[in-house]
Amino acid sequence: MNKFKEIWTFKNHIAEISRLGFLLIDLQKTHDLSDKLMFNINLVLDELMTNIISYGFPEKKEGKIHVEIEYDGVDDTLLITLRDNGVPFDPLSAKMPDLSKSVEDRPIGGLGVYFAKTFARDLKYEFKDDHNILTLKFPH
């Protein structure tokens, strides 16, 4: 696979999740990425962006979410960076969901971070220049 870098910008509207899905389909076709890898990335980004849109912008404040996907060929991983100007929140500090309970007995939420920690590696979070920045590496 050749080196590439894609940068996408989304508004903090839930309708943008479907646009993300279409962009990921195009990315997969353009760079011949595996179905398994793209399923994992789509699941994680869908969940994380939904959380950012739902909780990161109180009082319907307009915001932006930037998604950068890069493959440099060095360590055979895709580097994905999510950057938003919502309220500061470190998703890596979030409590993991209790998956031993049935779906009906679990509170809603928490799966985005769980999926990120399950499918990605080397997750890093920082709040810098008034932006949440979450970096994930996905093995190719």
Side-chain angles (χ1 to χ4, degrees), residues 21-36:
F22 289 119
L23 289 169
L24 289 172
I25 290 169
D26 288 344
L27 182 79
Q28 179 180 15
K29 290 176 183 175
T30 302
H31 300 288
D32 196 29
L33 302 171
S34 75
D35 290 340
K36 180 181 177 184

Side-chain angles (χ1 to χ4, degrees), residues 2-8 27 31 68-71:
N2 294 326
K3 296 179 183 183
F4 67 85
K5 184 175 189 176
E6 297 279 342
I7 301 173
W8 304 321
L27 182 79
H31 300 288
E68 182 176 306
I69 301 178
E70 180 176 11
Y71 179 76

Side-chain angles (χ1 to χ4, degrees), residues 2-132:
N2 294 326
K3 296 179 183 183
F4 67 85
K5 184 175 189 176
E6 297 279 342
I7 301 173
W8 304 321
T9 300
F10 302 91
K11 295 178 183 177
N12 62 319
H13 300 286
I14 206 70
E16 292 282 71
I17 300 297
S18 62
R19 187 167 73 89
L20 169 69
F22 289 119
L23 289 169
L24 289 172
I25 290 169
D26 288 344
L27 182 79
Q28 179 180 15
K29 290 176 183 175
T30 302
H31 300 288
D32 196 29
L33 302 171
S34 75
D35 290 340
K36 180 181 177 184
L37 172 64
M38 292 312 295
F39 175 84
N40 293 346
I41 289 172
N42 189 32
L43 181 64
V44 170
L45 290 181
D46 184 298
E47 289 284 333
L48 293 175
M49 281 190 51
T50 299
N51 288 345
I52 293 167
I53 293 166
S54 299
Y55 306 110
F57 299 93
E59 302 168 11
K60 306 293 184 201
K61 175 187 163 198
E62 282 294 316
K64 300 282 186 201
I65 303 165
H66 305 279
V67 177
E68 182 176 306
I69 301 178
E70 180 176 11
Y71 179 76
D72 64 11
V74 174
D75 60 0
D76 207 29
T77 60
L78 285 175
L79 179 67
I80 299 179
T81 303
L82 285 159
R83 182 176 285 111
D84 70 81
N85 61 335
V87 296
F89 175 69
D90 178 359
L92 303 181
S93 68
K95 184 178 173 186
M96 295 298 282
D98 182 357
L99 299 179
S100 65
K101 294 181 180 180
S102 70
V103 172
E104 296 83 19
D105 295 331
R106 282 195 322 253
I108 294 173
L111 290 178
V113 174
Y114 169 77
F115 290 140
K117 289 181 176 179
T118 300
F119 298 123
R121 64 178 189 215
D122 298 330
L123 288 81
K124 293 179 183 155
Y125 169 82
E126 66 179 322
F127 188 78
K128 184 177 177 182
D129 300 326
D130 294 325
H131 283 80
N132 293 291

